[in-house]
Amino acid sequence: MVMIMKSADDPNVWVGRSDELALIRAALDNLNRGKGAIIWVEGEPGIGKSSLVARALERADPIGCQVLQATADQLTQQFPLAVMLDCLEVTPRSADPRRVRTAQLLHERRMRIFAADEAGDIGDIGYAQIELLVSLVDEICAGSPTAIVLDDAQWADDASLLVWHRLTRAVDQLPLLLVATCRTAPRRSGVRELRSAVVRRGGTVITLDKLPDADATALVTQVLGAEPGPRLSALTAQALGNPLYLRELIDAVIRERGTDRPAGADVSKEEIERIPASFSAIVDDRLRTISPGSADALRNAALLGSTFRVTDLAVVLGRTPSELTEQLMDASAAGIVVGAGTQLAFRHPLVRQALYDGVPAALRIAMHQQAAMALAAAGAEPLRVAEQLLASGERGNAALRSWLAQAHATLIARAPAIAAELLRREIDHSLPSDGVGGVLALGLTRALLSIGRHEEAAAQAGLAIASAHEPEHRAEAHWLLVRANSCLGRSDAAMQAIQRALSWPQLPDAWRGRLLALQATYQRATDGDLDTADSTAQQALRIAETAADAYATAQALIGLWLNHSVRRDHKGALQCVDQALAKLGDGPDNADLRAFAVDSRIFSLQNLDRWADAEATLKHARELEQRSGYAASSTQITAAVLRYWLGQWDDALAELGPDPSELGELTYTGLREPGPVLLWYGIAALVAGRRNQRQVASEYLRAGLSLPVTTVSDRENRDFLLAAQALAAEQNGDVSQARAVLSDGLRRRPGEMTLVHQWLPDLVRLCLLAGDRPAALAAAKLCGAEADAESEPARATAALARCVGLLDRDPAALREAVEHYRTVGATLDLAGALEDLAVVVADRGSDAEARLLLNESSAVYHTLGADWDVRRADGRLRRYGIRRGVHGPRTRQRATGWAALTPTEQRIAVMVAEGASTSSIAQTLFLSRRTVQTHISNILAKLGLHGRVEIAREVYRHTA
């Protein structure tokens, strides 16, 4: 029998895996119908994971689905977003303007981290970058069904894994198929957690085992044109059913036999002895089929990763791309490299690894150093130079140190962990006494701080201060020392560092203004000394304005805003924050401080009962987010609080999103602020409790109350949690405990901003219910003090009217509160005041009016789904023999079906049916993209649907 020999790499050579192929192809067919899915393919190296996915997705293009794919490798594992940017083809050179804009925005955000003119909010920077990429995927899917393939997920950087994880939330909303391939039992916890998330979200896990003997024999038969004989079968059995090793063995047989002479379906003993026994040896054997120049080029290409740019290889070899044409064509013909878009790739990562490992370690170090120098001299992107420096494991020479001094800011912005490692190598060896040494020390401090190694950052800051040659560098080193101590919770050390910096006569005015503004914040937060904090902030403001430093000026004004707010001078606070926003402008700089200022403005407007203005400010903030690409996670919490008090509870929950971990770690002027996470749990628990979802509320309470309360921010943001805890106690019949929780938690320490007035009417009610009139008097007195402190009568004054009305059974005071809430549009407070007034007029025998008030109050509660409030109001009036009228609302809002959709959800459903993307819906409704995504998830759940196509059908059914 004559063998008809093919290449083992022939795409038409395929055996087995029929069930696995069917699963992926079925998902692809569903994708074409608008239904997304998640698939996780795992197995040992070379088992055929990538080949399976490629085979299954061959039909994607013919049916109108696009495939975006990237392969992770060890070389780029520490570079944040490297794999996902490659996968989504995000580059300034893209022909797609959406990708170009995303690349530009990402570059701007990275370059402004720790820039000289801003503090840099690391938590929100990561959040903003991820939102940009998720939004881009949304836009891409709006154009056509899309499959995103992440190969070798075990090597992917953490940020790319986070993007992929965020996308798993969108597969039920978008025509999006997510496919990841991964080695079995990955070591990294982040990869294991991602696999678990796939399972939790109903994804498909495909585990590839070795090829059965029959399939292995069929593969050999397809390639050779005949069934293998016994010696050939024994040889291929060494592959243990691993398709990659098996194909390499077959190709080795073909190379040994030669294609120009026929032979039987078996091999001789002599041929077996000449066929390499190991995978690496087989790859070396394959190299012998190409020219020595081509083999040398491939070994240098292996330094650059599993995929590489021809231009980079040319730089490393000191040649032009055209001069490499023959060698690379030779390597392609030999099946060692293949095309990968605008780059080349090794046919399999194991092939590249075998080439890489075949170079002696000492020689590899030198080659990596040489590659780094060549790329740096050619002006290559700093990340590509850093890859080579990192892989060398050695410090650089003088030229590379000089390059690092110039490029470290870009590296910190893009890959701070790698920047820290490279900078540490140089500094640990010896710190140059020239200006370069000081720059490297300062850069290392920045890098350590940005990756959360605060203890090391504090120590390094001291070295940076001592070695700084330029006043600006020394001033920044002082600033970073303050930030490091702040993040460690060392307030005293931070204050001492500020004082030492301020005592330095050469401290530049811009930095003096910033440090004074930060000192004022500490004086308020640690000592509660508002007068001293005011004096310091005013001094900071004068110096900052003289230095024309916008950041320092705005920071000082926000410090004054804090002090005015604590004093309840909300009008003065609003003036300060408006001045700060005017100074910051709407440009791309200082995005983190501007986001804080916007949140502060909304806070002040709420306390002035200017709810419409607060909503308008939120709308403007969302417009700015959409223009700048910077999404501040803190704004989600601010929006949720606003919508809670406006009675827009479903919208408030949508603003929160389903997972508080997505908020990231929030910062302001270097102070870590876990407070917003406390608010997340507090709002979620309080809404669930008032809707009588007690088990859900209990879970949120358990999680929220387990968080530490250590800073002033924590105390200021735990009030919703305390209100939810008091509600749970009341629901359990323990009114005394409910009263104690609120009473103890609302004691405001000097310098604290906690808005106690918004909870005091409930505290007065609980005290009276418990028969403790002295405690009710004390609560009303506290509310009186809050009202007296208001520079302009507003929320606290209205709350006092409710407290007095309850305490004195005075309908006039409660009518005053009701009319106030009607006028300003405070929906939730209005419902509470109506309920209280109903009780008081019932006590005076006005049954008909009491019933009308009860009906109106209950109508508001019903629109919120606030079942507990309805029950409480009914119970309070039942003792007077008053029940809601026959026409009063008696049924709660439906939980499922079209009628269960809120007005916002119905509007979004219509826009989905019209083909609008999540991002465009967000822009139209002035919501965050993440909030819209949550709304769509709620729509799908309420309607029992799967995907946007089904939403469209439901919309047409109800609107036709």
Side-chain angles (χ1 to χ4, degrees):
M1 182 179 293
V2 177
M3 291 193 294
I4 305 173
M5 294 181 290
K6 306 176 182 178
S7 167
D9 293 328
D10 189 329
N12 294 316
V13 176
W14 182 269
V15 298
R17 311 294 198 205
S18 57
D19 292 342
E20 293 87 350
L21 273 173
L23 283 172
I24 302 178
R25 284 174 173 169
L28 187 63
D29 291 338
N30 285 332
L31 178 67
N32 194 42
R33 302 184 187 102
K35 184 177 179 181
I38 316 169
I39 295 177
W40 183 273
V41 184
E42 60 188 15
E44 68 179 42
I47 202 66
K49 304 182 292 294
S50 301
S51 298
L52 172 71
V53 173
R55 182 80 171 184
L57 296 181
E58 284 176 348
R59 65 168 72 174
D61 187 60
I63 65 174
C65 299
Q66 65 174 321
V67 178
L68 302 175
Q69 183 168 3
T71 301
D73 63 36
Q74 292 163 285
L75 197 61
T76 58
Q77 182 178 343
Q78 297 186 65
F79 290 84
L81 296 178
V83 182
M84 198 52 66
L85 292 177
D86 186 23
C87 181
L88 299 179
E89 302 168 5
V90 175
T91 167
R93 297 180 297 277
S94 173
D96 179 2
R98 297 170 304 184
R99 288 175 165 89
V100 172
R101 180 174 182 272
T102 300
Q104 291 170 342
L105 290 172
L106 286 172
H107 178 74
E108 289 173 1
R109 294 280 3 121
R110 290 171 185 153
M111 291 305 295
R112 280 197 295 275
I113 302 177
F114 287 116
D117 62 345
E118 80 168 302
D121 187 339
I122 302 305
D124 272 358
I125 292 293
Y127 175 89
Q129 288 178 337
I130 289 166
E131 283 297 299
L132 275 173
L133 292 181
V134 174
S135 180
L136 175 63
V137 172
D138 176 67
E139 294 295 325
I140 290 171
C141 291
S144 66
T146 301
I148 293 180
V149 181
L150 176 59
D151 249 334
D152 279 338
Q154 73 276 358
W155 301 127
D157 60 274
D158 290 339
S160 290
L161 291 178
L162 185 54
V163 173
W164 206 87
H165 179 263
R166 285 292 305 278
L167 290 173
T168 62
R169 286 183 50 201
V171 293
D172 62 344
Q173 304 179 12
L174 300 174
L176 174 63
L177 174 61
L178 292 176
V179 183
T181 70
C182 185
R183 292 184 182 177
T184 306
R187 296 180 181 178
R188 290 168 58 205
S189 60
V191 182
R192 294 197 302 271
E193 289 168 4
L194 187 59
R195 184 190 185 280
S196 299
V198 170
V199 176
R200 286 197 307 272
R201 298 193 184 281
T204 300
V205 175
I206 298 174
T207 303
L208 295 186
D209 203 349
K210 67 178 185 177
L211 282 177
D213 292 343
D215 286 343
T217 299
L219 177 61
V220 176
T221 302
Q222 279 197 40
V223 175
L224 300 181
E227 291 190 9
R231 281 189 295 271
L232 184 55
S233 294
L235 176 66
T236 55
Q238 296 177 22
L240 300 176
N242 185 296
L244 178 66
Y245 191 13
L246 182 60
R247 287 170 182 265
E248 290 295 336
L249 276 172
I250 298 171
D251 266 2
V253 171
I254 293 172
R255 290 195 299 274
E256 177 62 30
R257 176 63 53 81
T259 59
D260 57 342
R261 61 189 179 92
D266 212 348
V267 290
S268 67
K269 292 181 179 180
E270 293 77 12
E271 287 174 320
I272 288 179
E273 291 175 357
R274 291 195 296 270
I275 294 173
S278 69
F279 184 82
S280 295
I282 289 175
V283 174
D284 286 340
D285 180 64
R286 188 186 279 264
L287 286 178
R288 284 194 286 272
T289 67
I290 61 178
S291 69
S294 299
D296 180 63
L298 287 176
R299 291 189 182 95
N300 278 275
L303 300 175
L304 301 175
S306 296
T307 60
F308 59 92
R309 298 173 179 85
V310 175
T311 52
D312 284 353
L313 181 59
V315 167
V316 170
L317 293 173
R319 304 167 69 182
T320 64
S322 60
E323 291 173 334
L324 294 178
T325 301
E326 183 178 344
Q327 287 87 346
L328 294 177
M329 291 294 289
D330 196 14
S332 177
I336 301 175
V337 297
V338 295
T342 60
Q343 302 183 68
L344 290 178
F346 288 95
R347 184 171 58 84
H348 193 281
L350 289 181
V351 174
R352 178 256 173 187
Q353 193 65 43
L355 280 169
Y356 187 81
D357 292 342
V359 179
L363 180 56
R364 279 204 309 268
I365 291 172
M367 291 173 70
H368 277 300
Q369 289 268 328
Q370 180 182 341
M373 290 184 63
L375 290 168
E381 183 183 5
L383 288 178
R384 302 212 291 276
V385 181
E387 286 176 359
Q388 298 304 310
L389 277 177
L390 186 70
S392 75
E394 297 287 335
R395 66 188 296 265
N397 55 26
L400 285 172
R401 270 196 302 278
S402 178
W403 171 85
L404 186 58
Q406 295 176 350
H408 73 271
T410 301
L411 291 178
I412 293 172
R414 180 68 173 84
I418 288 177
E421 184 171 344
L422 294 178
L423 289 162
R424 174 68 77 190
R425 280 183 195 171
E426 302 302 325
I427 291 173
D428 281 352
H429 187 271
S430 64
L431 185 65
S433 58
D434 58 8
V436 171
V439 170
L440 295 179
L442 182 62
L444 179 56
T445 308
R446 293 186 190 127
L448 292 170
L449 192 59
S450 71
I451 58 177
R453 287 159 62 177
H454 304 130
E455 193 76 55
E456 293 179 62
Q460 186 60 40
L463 181 60
I465 291 170
S467 59
H469 280 223
E470 301 294 331
E472 288 287 337
H473 292 165
R474 184 175 178 184
E476 185 181 355
H478 278 293
W479 173 264
L480 296 176
L481 176 60
V482 174
R483 292 193 61 184
N485 281 311
S486 298
C487 294
L488 290 165
R490 298 172 181 168
S491 299
D492 291 342
M495 284 289 284
Q496 290 169 9
I498 291 173
Q499 290 162 1
R500 284 196 300 271
L502 292 173
S503 68
W504 178 39
Q506 288 78 39
L507 182 67
D509 281 348
W511 288 104
R512 187 175 297 278
R514 295 184 185 197
L515 287 163
L516 282 168
L518 189 53
Q519 184 180 46
T521 300
Y522 273 108
Q523 289 165 341
R524 193 278 304 189
T526 58
D527 302 329
D529 188 346
L530 296 182
D531 292 336
T532 301
D534 272 343
S535 176
T536 304
Q538 290 288 358
Q539 183 185 2
L541 181 59
R542 288 192 297 273
I543 293 173
E545 288 178 334
T546 301
D549 186 286
Y551 186 92
T553 301
Q555 190 179 8
L557 286 165
I558 290 176
L560 291 170
W561 168 85
L562 279 164
N563 298 340
H564 283 305
S565 297
V566 172
R567 290 192 178 98
R568 303 316 191 224
D569 178 10
H570 299 300
K571 189 173 182 179
L574 183 62
Q575 292 173 349
C576 287
V577 80
D578 281 347
Q579 291 176 49
L581 284 167
K583 183 62 65 173
L584 293 171
D586 285 351
D589 293 332
N590 305 318
D592 68 313
L593 188 59
R594 183 172 52 250
F596 187 92
V598 167
D599 293 346
S600 303
R601 186 173 202 272
I602 293 172
F603 177 91
S604 294
L605 289 169
Q606 288 178 187
N607 282 291
L608 289 167
D609 266 333
R610 290 170 55 180
W611 297 97
D613 290 340
E615 287 189 287
T617 300
L618 177 60
K619 175 182 175 181
H620 177 70
R622 291 278 163 73
E623 288 178 306
L624 190 57
E625 283 181 4
Q626 289 155 9
R627 290 202 306 271
S628 68
Y630 178 81
S633 55
S634 61
T635 304
Q636 304 283 143
I637 297 294
T638 299
V641 172
L642 174 62
R643 300 196 187 287
Y644 173 84
W645 289 114
L646 288 173
Q648 302 164 6
W649 286 2
D650 289 298
D651 291 342
L653 295 178
E655 294 282 3
L656 292 178
D659 187 356
S661 67
E662 292 180 359
L663 292 174
E665 189 175 29
L666 307 180
T667 64
Y668 167 60
T669 62
L671 301 174
R672 298 287 160 175
E673 299 287 5
V677 180
L678 292 168
L679 266 176
W680 192 101
Y681 283 111
I683 297 168
L686 191 53
V687 170
R690 295 185 73 166
R691 286 181 164 175
N692 216 30
Q693 300 166 350
R694 299 193 193 184
Q695 183 58 42
V696 175
S698 176
E699 292 171 2
Y700 286 138
L701 270 176
R702 190 180 305 111
L705 293 173
S706 69
L707 295 173
V709 176
T710 56
T711 69
V712 171
S713 172
D714 299 341
R715 288 183 56 82
E716 291 171 341
N717 287 287
R718 65 175 183 158
D719 54 340
F720 275 84
L721 265 175
L722 294 174
Q725 187 181 11
L727 175 61
E730 182 181 3
Q731 289 173 330
N732 291 330
D734 194 341
V735 176
S736 295
Q737 174 66 17
R739 177 195 57 186
V741 166
L742 267 187
S743 180
D744 294 344
L746 296 182
R747 292 197 177 98
R748 193 155 64 97
R749 297 177 183 176
E752 284 186 6
M753 194 195 294
T754 308
L755 299 178
V756 296
H757 64 261
Q758 57 197 10
W759 312 110
L760 288 174
D762 266 334
L763 180 56
V764 170
R765 177 182 61 79
L766 288 169
C767 291
L768 293 174
L769 184 61
D772 190 345
R773 186 170 178 81
L777 282 167
K781 184 178 180 181
L782 177 58
C783 197
E786 291 281 304
D788 290 342
E790 285 187 321
S791 56
E792 181 176 295
R795 285 192 80 196
T797 301
L800 176 61
R802 282 185 65 188
C803 291
V804 170
L806 284 169
L807 191 64
D808 297 342
R809 310 303 252 178
D810 180 3
L814 286 166
R815 292 187 204 281
E816 179 185 332
V818 165
E819 289 311 309
H820 174 81
Y821 294 137
R822 285 194 201 280
T823 301
V824 301
T827 304
L828 196 57
D829 287 331
L830 173 62
L834 286 167
E835 177 189 336
D836 292 338
L837 180 57
V839 172
V840 169
V841 298
D843 187 59
R844 290 175 172 248
S846 301
D847 293 3
E849 183 185 4
R851 183 174 293 106
L852 289 174
L853 292 167
L854 174 61
N855 283 341
E856 185 179 357
S857 174
S858 298
V860 177
Y861 289 143
H862 274 294
T863 63
L864 305 177
D867 289 359
W868 169 255
D869 293 81
V870 173
R871 291 177 58 182
R872 183 194 60 238
D874 283 346
R876 291 176 73 186
L877 273 297
R878 191 175 299 118
R879 59 179 295 194
Y880 299 103
I882 295 174
R883 289 172 170 76
R884 279 176 281 146
V886 294
H887 300 295
R890 292 183 178 275
T891 59
R892 60 165 296 165
Q893 183 183 11
R894 290 184 57 185
T896 60
W898 184 262
L901 300 185
T902 66
T904 301
E905 289 167 351
Q906 288 191 8
R907 189 174 179 188
I908 289 174
V910 170
M911 295 177 75
V912 167
E914 292 170 347
S917 68
T918 303
S919 298
S920 62
I921 295 171
Q923 291 170 6
T924 301
L925 300 184
F926 303 104
L927 300 171
S928 72
R929 194 208 57 79
R930 190 173 70 104
T931 300
V932 173
Q933 188 179 42
T934 302
H935 276 304
I936 295 175
S937 293
N938 293 339
I939 293 168
L940 292 168
K942 290 179 179 180
L943 299 181
L945 303 178
H946 303 280
R948 291 180 171 233
V949 173
E950 294 185 10
I951 290 178
R953 291 175 185 153
E954 189 72 6
V955 169
Y956 294 145
R957 190 168 73 86
H958 284 276
T959 59

